[in-house]
Amino acid sequence: MAGILIPFLIFTPWLTAILVWFIGDKHEEGLHQFASAGAILSAILSLLLLSQIGDSTISFAKIGPLFGNLSFSTDALGIILACIANCIGSLTVIFSAEYMKHEKSLARYYSMVLLFIGAMSGLVLTANIFMIFFFWEITALCSYQLISFYNDDPNAVRGGLKALFITQFGGIGLMVAGLLIFGYTHSFEIGRFIQAAQGGEIPANVLGIIGFTLIIAATAKSAQFPFFTWLPDAMEAPTPVSALIHAATMVNAGVYLLCRFFPALEAVPGWKMTILILGLITILISSLMAIFATDLKRVLAYSTVSQLGYMFAAIGAGSVLACQFHLLSHAIFKALLFLCAGAIIHSCGTRDMYKMGGFFKKIPFISITFIIGSLALAGIPVLNGFWSKELILESIHSGTPIIIYILMLFSVILTALYTIRCVWLVFFGEPRSDLHVHDAPFLMALPLGILSLGTITSWLVFEPFSRSLSNSLPLYGIPKETLSELVSKIFGDPYTFLALGMVAIGILIWFLRNKLPLHNSITRKIKSISLNSFGFEAINNGVVNGINAASEAIRNIQTGSLNWNIFGMLIGLICILIALMIGGL
Amino acid sequence: MPMNPLFWLLITPIICALILYVVGRTIPPDDESSPNKAAWLSLFSILLTVVPFVMTAKKFTEEGPVSLTAGMITLTFDGISLLMTSVLLVLSAMVVLFSAQYMVAEDHEEKFYGQIMILMSSIMGLTTATDIFNLYVWFELMAVSTYTLVSFYRNRTESLESGIKYLVQSAAGSVLVILGTSILFGLTGEVKISAIRESILTSSPAVIAATACLLIGYGVKCAIVPMHFWLPDAHSQAPAGISALLSGIVIETGLIALLRALSAVSHAHLPLGTIFLVIGCINMFIGTFSALRQKEIKRMLAFSSVSQMGYILLGIGFAISFPASAQNAEGIFTHIFNHALMKGLAFLSAGALVYCIKVSKGNHEPLLLDDLNGVSAKYPLYSLAFTISMLALGGLPLFAGFISKWQILASGIAAQKSWVAFLIALAGINSVLSLGHYAPPINRIYRHVSNNNEVAISPKFQQAMIIPIIILTAAVILLGFFPGITAGITKVASETLYTMFY
């Protein structure tokens, strides 16, 4: 049954994408309906797949020489992520029917979104490392095309190209790792690699290279330090795209990659600690940047980076369960926040929070759903974000040095602070300008409602969640926990209340911001560093300028003069003679 | 000899060239907007050539390499010949069909098709050559048939300039080739490559001199840096179909000539593998960096060919350095096949766009990046094809380029040397950099604000342009999903390469 569902799950959105392209831009209503139908069908297929979770690997034909077999695995790690991708995908496609009304090039938009959804399903379900790379690169292609969807806007094109370069650069890490795995196990199957790695068949230095190149790939894709600068600029994409790709699915691919290879690499010296440190640095830097950002989507983007940092930290602490649980919660509440932001931006026409204010009375539905999402983000009980965040904090507390835990608590303050700041600036206080807003029409309100419901209730599936992960992934050491165990563990742990206290402090700082001595040179310094992305934008610009300068310099060898060209041949001849003499005589 | 299909394979294009030239010269086209009769005849000739090709291929799979002897010269059709001839037939059929509309009402239109046929014969002959002098003769025939194709627009000074530069550099290369060839003959008294390989078992100053001359001489034609300077001019000034042929098959045939020649010294303990690895890296980066600042589309594509040759050279370096890689060398030949299709698609779709925007109005100016602004609104099919070719060349999946790039790098890692990971990372970095010149044209194409406000024109025979573009697009996508399609021919080519060097 899984052997039929999985190919259908990938091909349904892809077939819809091709058909949407042929339907073309002239039949707008048909496009919206057809795309939504395709996406909803995929979502249903993915939910059906939940019943097929097991520990088997399904292998179809050999792809070709040096590519391995077309194989998929039915474990919970892949299937749960596939469900997230398809269900949230279908909600964003429904949302797009209203958001992208009367936009041009809709065929291209829907094709890319559907192509992306199919590729994401493939990425998490495949058991062949070449196929992971294949789908990984497809998601990068779709992300680039969708960020630069408004091709006439140079900022959008720049943002799209930046995302493409940085994630592709990370992709080199995945390519090197995949090829090394093939070279040393003569197989492309992930299961075989895990077996070989745990059995000591792979030389330690090679395993180390594989481990760290995979970290490079994951940090680039999930916008972690030092590759985080592409995600805020990716906010030029239409907001449903930001919700789907840059919050709920593609950026989780890096986290997924590390979880997938966890049992093979956890014993590599320094691997987990590196992931932990990278995650921690990311959380702190991005939280600071979120506190000072003025663009609503940028705040949410930095927040995404920060929450992904939490997931990285969980892996670094050794708990795949906590990481995946937070991935589930975060996908739901972040998609909710982005779609609400989209609804707001769509009606008022600006992303600048300092032009908003007092929206609560005008758009109650969007306000309430946004607040639900932000409560989950801040970690307020009993929303899904609270449970998963506490689980991560608990694993950090028990598995890592105490200084890390203290810094994580500090980050909880920062998270609460930027969340309340964002909510307050947009929805409360006096309106800062004369903007007209209207509440969400039905096709926008429906996904918001569903996601809010998910935010409130998704934690209830914890027991089947952990059980299925544990049963289908025997080599990963995932514990089985029941819901009551979770609840009693979290509420029984005094450190939970310490964390809640930190949330309270963060909220208090906001409300007392005018009374606290916050306007001094240190905070001004922090603010300016944050607004400059901690110098990483400068590094990016330096790299781009360096490459452009190198290319300009290389133009000089193309002299256009025949004499110089022949002279070039002579130089080549001399170099080859020298090389042959050194090697041959 | 008349029963030998290899004979007919080589002779058919030449006979057809003579016939179609005479027909084209004597029977004028129906009207000013119709192609010369020679165009349809040349397409027919290519299809006719497929018959002896299939027969030869069948004989090859059943009995092994097919030989044709005429006096002292033996021509042998082996795995590499099979691969190159398949690429040649597919690509030239597409180019000739495309050119039927593209070259309408040009001066000397019939000579264009005649020369392409001779080019085809020379390429097929070159890949079957077994002695070092005969190799040179076919190589020269191939070069001569391309000189006037490159400078076909003889009334444009840029076109003549690029033709002269190509001619002089190619001739300089040929001087070195004949020098190297004669040194080898002088050393061993043999011309047959297999005999020379048995005789030269140690290196010496003479062997080194001969190898260097051959490498540089043939290197001009296969775009090895620093002999590549003729490429950007020639590829951008030639008519679209010829650019496709040059990038797609001519430079690869130059590479095959180089490999055949070097296989003569393969037992002389020379560091050829390392040299190819280094040259491959240099080609990749020089090609990409040179292409990054280009504003002319065809020049950018020409530099991209230099870079793509770098991947192939890297693959050859792996194959020569490590026996394990040579046994898995399909990637090299898959990339030759796929690159011909992708580059062919790129040049043909860019050609279709420049035809509609400029050439059909008598303007032979090159296609600039700015001309692509918003072009997708009026020419959706050509835009989509061009976009797909750009993504394919950039090595993004769903398309053929991703597949062949992976195969080349996988062959490298088969040797289990961990320092190969460094070269793989370099190839990966080059791929990412190359997106810097493949991706921006796509963004330009799908803008909504465009330059040209005139109505899209519909040439009389536009199916002649559309059909090859659709076929090539479908091929690029199919090979991206089903790499096994070409597995048969690449495997035999890889086996032949192994026998040449081990």
Side-chain angles (χ1 to χ4, degrees):
Chain A
M1 174 70 163
I4 302 176
L5 274 177
I6 294 180
F8 265 96
L9 187 57
I10 302 176
F11 286 122
T12 307
W14 279 9
L15 192 61
T16 318
I18 296 173
L19 291 172
V20 159
W21 186 278
F22 282 112
I23 292 178
D25 293 333
K26 292 193 200 72
H27 310 282
E28 194 191 315
E29 258 316 299
L31 271 182
H32 291 303
Q33 288 166 356
F34 197 67
S36 305
I40 293 174
L41 183 57
S42 317
I44 295 174
L45 286 172
S46 69
L47 289 169
L48 282 174
L49 201 52
L50 279 173
S51 63
Q52 300 293 312
I53 292 182
D55 55 4
S56 56
T57 309
I58 305 174
S59 200
F60 296 103
K62 186 161 176 261
I63 302 170
L66 299 173
F67 298 110
N69 291 337
L70 187 65
S71 60
F72 296 97
S73 85
T74 54
D75 57 56
L77 184 62
I79 292 185
I80 292 176
L81 266 164
C83 280
I84 294 176
N86 282 284
C87 294
I88 297 189
S90 62
L91 291 174
T92 52
V93 169
I94 295 173
F95 188 89
S96 303
E98 192 63 51
Y99 188 90
M100 302 292 284
K101 220 181 213 179
H102 307 312
E103 287 274 358
K104 295 192 224 180
S105 312
L106 274 177
R108 186 161 58 91
Y109 173 80
Y110 278 122
S111 297
M112 286 290 131
V113 170
L114 289 162
L115 183 65
F116 170 81
I117 295 176
M120 200 65 207
S121 303
L123 175 72
V124 298
L125 290 170
T126 183
N128 174 330
I129 181 124
F130 164 72
M131 295 302 290
I132 289 189
F133 185 53
F134 177 80
F135 289 117
W136 182 278
E137 300 271 287
I138 297 178
T139 59
L141 165 64
C142 296
S143 165
Y144 148 66
Q145 273 292 300
L146 286 166
I147 295 172
S148 59
F149 180 70
Y150 300 116
N151 283 299
D152 298 90
D153 177 3
N155 284 331
V157 175
R158 202 177 313 130
L161 289 171
K162 189 173 183 180
L164 185 64
F165 292 140
I166 297 182
T167 52
Q168 285 290 82
F169 180 75
I172 299 174
L174 180 54
M175 183 172 76
V176 171
L179 287 169
L180 279 173
I181 289 174
F182 167 65
Y184 285 86
T185 61
H186 298 290
S187 158
F188 287 97
E189 300 296 312
I190 299 175
R192 173 80 193 93
F193 169 61
I194 294 178
Q195 211 179 15
Q198 287 182 332
E201 291 168 38
I202 302 183
N205 65 333
V206 172
L207 200 57
I209 298 176
I210 294 176
F212 285 93
T213 46
L214 283 176
I215 291 182
I216 293 175
T219 45
K221 195 71 150 185
S222 296
Q224 299 294 288
F225 175 89
F227 300 115
F228 55 89
T229 46
W230 68 268
L231 194 57
D233 289 344
M235 295 298 117
E236 301 296 331
T239 311
V241 168
S242 303
L244 176 61
I245 298 187
H246 304 124
T249 44
M250 188 181 91
V251 291
N252 292 328
V255 174
Y256 164 77
L257 194 69
L258 294 177
C259 286
R260 175 59 78 192
F261 287 93
F262 186 78
L265 297 169
E266 59 175 321
V268 172
W271 193 71
K272 284 201 302 197
M273 185 52 75
T274 309
I275 296 176
L276 182 61
I277 303 285
L278 285 175
L280 188 58
I281 297 177
T282 309
I283 297 172
L284 293 170
I285 291 183
S286 52
S287 306
L288 282 172
M289 291 197 284
I291 293 175
F292 295 107
T294 55
D295 178 334
L296 174 58
K297 282 180 77 174
R298 272 185 109 88
V299 172
L300 294 177
Y302 289 129
S303 159
T304 303
V305 173
S306 169
Q307 295 299 303
L308 289 164
Y310 273 92
M311 293 178 221
F312 267 62
I315 299 176
S319 174
V320 170
L321 177 62
C323 168
Q324 289 300 306
F325 193 46
H326 195 57
L327 195 152
L328 174 65
S329 308
H330 174 256
I332 298 175
F333 69 68
K334 198 41 78 60
L336 172 61
L337 286 170
F338 264 107
L339 290 182
C340 287
I344 296 172
I345 295 168
H346 192 247
S347 67
C348 77
T350 179
R351 284 163 32 192
D352 188 343
M353 292 192 295
Y354 280 99
K355 293 207 180 85
M356 301 179 189
F359 282 177
F360 188 84
K361 287 192 267 316
K362 298 183 197 173
I363 46 173
F365 184 76
I366 299 180
S367 312
I368 293 175
T369 48
F370 191 94
I371 290 171
I372 292 176
S374 21
L375 290 176
L377 173 58
I380 307 282
V382 293
L383 300 161
N384 64 3
F386 164 70
W387 298 105
S388 52
K389 195 181 277 194
E390 290 305 324
L391 198 57
I392 293 183
L393 287 171
E394 192 259 329
S395 67
I396 296 217
H397 172 68
S398 52
T400 64
I402 191 72
I403 176 73
I404 309 249
Y405 182 66
I406 296 175
L407 288 169
M408 291 292 281
L409 284 180
F410 179 61
S411 75
V412 173
I413 301 179
L414 297 177
T415 308
L417 179 55
Y418 71 66
T419 311
I420 185 67
R421 170 181 179 261
C422 176
V423 169
W424 200 263
L425 281 176
V426 176
F427 297 105
F428 298 102
E430 286 305 312
R432 268 174 284 278
S433 69
D434 225 353
L435 285 172
H436 162 74
V437 270
H438 55 81
D439 219 336
F442 175 69
L443 284 177
M444 285 194 189
L446 179 65
L448 294 183
I450 296 177
L451 286 169
S452 310
L453 212 59
T455 309
I456 300 172
T457 59
S458 79
W459 58 280
L460 291 167
V461 302
F462 181 71
E463 188 170 337
F465 183 84
S466 82
R467 198 176 356 108
S468 59
L469 277 172
S470 179
N471 287 338
S472 59
L473 296 165
L475 295 172
Y476 286 60
I478 298 176
K480 267 189 272 242
E481 283 183 26
T482 66
L483 188 58
S484 43
E485 278 172 16
L486 175 72
V487 174
S488 56
K489 180 166 66 166
I490 301 258
F491 278 122
D493 187 2
Y495 290 96
T496 306
F497 298 96
L498 186 55
L500 283 174
M502 296 295 128
V503 173
I505 294 178
I507 297 178
L508 267 174
I509 294 180
W510 174 258
F511 286 114
L512 299 175
R513 67 191 178 283
N514 292 321
K515 300 201 184 65
L516 290 170
L518 285 173
H519 295 283
N520 54 37
S521 61
I522 299 180
T523 44
R524 261 193 298 272
K525 199 78 198 256
I526 297 177
K527 179 173 179 177
S528 83
I529 297 176
S530 300
L531 288 172
N532 287 323
S533 305
F534 286 80
F536 279 86
E537 266 315 313
I539 296 177
N540 283 346
N541 289 338
V543 169
V544 171
N545 291 338
I547 292 176
N548 280 336
S551 295
E552 268 305 312
I554 287 286
R555 286 181 75 185
N556 293 323
I557 66 169
Q558 187 75 25
T559 52
S561 153
L562 195 52
N563 292 329
W564 280 109
N565 295 347
I566 304 285
F567 184 66
M569 279 173 65
L570 200 56
I571 300 275
L573 186 62
I574 294 174
C575 290
I576 295 290
L577 275 170
I578 295 176
L580 285 170
M581 283 196 289
I582 295 175
L585 279 177
Chain B
M1 189 156 73
M3 293 317 299
N4 192 334
L6 181 55
F7 172 75
W8 290 107
L9 181 62
L10 296 175
I11 215 80
T12 311
I14 296 181
I15 297 177
C16 292
L18 297 169
I19 296 175
L20 66 88
Y21 173 67
V22 169
V23 169
R25 202 70 163 84
T26 49
I27 304 177
D30 295 333
D31 56 60
E32 260 196 16
S33 57
S34 290
N36 194 301
K37 300 282 183 261
W40 309 119
L41 275 177
S42 61
L43 183 61
F44 176 70
S45 315
I46 296 176
L47 295 175
L48 192 60
T49 315
V50 172
V51 176
F53 169 65
V54 168
M55 287 167 57
T56 317
K58 211 154 148 284
K59 198 156 177 220
F60 169 73
T61 43
E62 284 161 10
E63 299 167 19
V66 181
S67 286
L68 174 66
T69 315
M72 282 178 38
I73 300 173
T74 310
L75 299 171
T76 306
F77 184 91
D78 58 14
I80 290 184
S81 324
L82 176 59
L83 180 95
M84 298 302 285
T85 312
S86 340
V87 178
L88 174 68
L89 288 173
V90 171
L91 191 59
S92 51
M94 299 297 108
V95 163
V96 159
L97 182 54
F98 180 86
S99 302
Q101 172 65 65
Y102 193 85
M103 303 299 288
V104 154
E106 296 287 345
D107 284 341
H108 306 284
E109 200 183 327
E110 68 286 343
K111 295 192 182 70
F112 180 82
Y113 297 102
Q115 286 195 282
I116 290 183
M117 301 311 297
I118 298 189
L119 176 64
M120 283 179 63
S121 192
S122 64
I123 291 175
M124 291 191 284
L126 189 155
T127 56
T128 58
T130 58
D131 73 65
I132 204 157
F133 184 75
N134 193 232
L135 183 67
Y136 169 69
V137 170
W138 287 110
F139 181 75
E140 278 299 287
L141 182 60
M142 179 177 83
V144 164
S145 54
T146 52
Y147 294 147
T148 42
L149 284 172
V150 162
S151 52
F152 196 77
Y153 299 125
R154 48 197 241 293
N155 295 318
R156 294 194 71 228
T157 49
E158 295 89 346
S159 188
L160 289 175
E161 179 189 336
S162 68
I164 293 283
K165 282 183 181 163
Y166 172 41
L167 170 60
V168 173
Q169 289 176 64
S170 187
S174 297
V175 166
L176 287 171
V177 166
I178 203 70
L179 188 56
T181 307
S182 36
I183 294 177
L184 284 181
F185 177 66
L187 273 177
T188 58
E190 305 272 359
V191 275
K192 281 194 83 61
I193 294 177
S194 45
I196 299 178
R197 193 182 334 168
E198 307 299 319
S199 318
I200 299 185
L201 296 169
T202 53
S203 75
S204 64
V207 171
I208 288 180
T211 311
C213 287
L214 288 171
L215 190 54
I216 300 295
Y218 283 118
V220 173
K221 198 48 130 271
C222 54
I224 294 180
V225 172
M227 285 76 68
H228 69 288
F229 298 113
W230 61 273
L231 231 97
D233 298 322
H235 285 61
S236 55
Q237 297 303 324
I242 300 305
S243 307
L245 278 177
L246 277 177
S247 269
I249 190 75
V250 171
I251 54 181
E252 283 83 355
T253 309
L255 181 63
I256 297 298
L258 176 61
L259 285 177
R260 296 279 198 210
L262 286 180
S263 70
V265 295
S266 60
H267 289 187
H269 303 293
L270 294 167
L272 286 175
T274 319
I275 289 178
F276 270 100
L277 287 174
V278 172
I279 292 178
C281 291
I282 295 176
N283 257 61
M284 287 193 304
F285 283 102
I286 299 252
T288 302
F289 275 104
S290 304
L292 278 171
R293 306 293 286 165
Q294 289 302 323
K295 293 278 180 276
E296 260 185 58
I297 298 295
K298 286 176 75 173
R299 266 183 105 80
M300 181 264 282
L301 290 174
F303 280 118
S304 133
S305 292
V306 175
S307 183
Q308 298 288 330
M309 278 311 282
Y311 286 117
I312 299 177
L313 291 165
L314 196 67
I316 292 174
F318 287 136
I320 298 181
S321 306
F322 311 119
S325 297
Q327 282 158 345
N328 290 307
E330 288 99 332
I332 299 169
F333 301 101
T334 317
H335 199 61
I336 289 179
F337 196 93
N338 290 349
H339 176 247
L341 295 176
M342 299 187 293
K343 211 28 101 45
L345 180 61
F347 274 115
L348 290 188
S349 49
L353 285 170
V354 83
Y355 184 82
C356 293
I357 300 174
K358 293 185 177 178
V359 172
S360 55
K361 300 174 189 130
N363 178 0
H364 286 286
E365 292 291 314
L367 185 67
L368 298 175
L369 193 58
D370 285 336
D371 294 328
L372 288 178
N373 288 345
V375 123
S376 60
K378 284 198 224 69
Y379 305 105
L381 177 65
Y382 300 145
S383 306
L384 180 62
F386 187 72
T387 303
I388 288 177
S389 70
M390 291 288 102
L391 296 173
L393 286 164
L396 288 170
L398 296 179
F399 310 116
F402 178 76
I403 296 291
S404 46
K405 195 179 69 174
W406 173 273
Q407 264 192 323
I408 290 180
L409 298 175
S411 80
I413 208 78
Q416 287 200 349
K417 299 261 188 302
S418 48
W419 56 265
V420 170
F422 173 67
L423 285 175
I424 291 176
L426 276 182
I429 292 176
N430 179 65
S431 240
V432 177
L433 278 176
S434 73
L435 287 169
H437 60 83
Y438 289 127
I442 302 175
N443 290 106
R444 298 276 195 137
I445 287 175
Y446 287 102
R447 283 191 189 176
H448 294 130
V449 177
S450 74
N451 302 338
N452 347 27
N453 297 318
E454 308 103 30
V455 181
I457 65 139
S458 260
K460 187 167 166 193
F461 284 89
Q462 65 168 335
Q463 280 76 16
M465 289 204 295
I466 292 177
I467 293 175
I469 288 181
I470 293 182
I471 294 178
L472 286 173
T473 311
V476 164
I477 297 176
L478 263 174
L479 287 170
F481 277 94
F482 301 106
I485 294 178
T486 49
I489 50 178
T490 55
K491 182 109 192 77
V492 293
S494 164
E495 284 164 7
T496 309
L497 186 66
Y498 186 82
T499 59
M500 277 164 64
F501 282 93
Y502 287 94

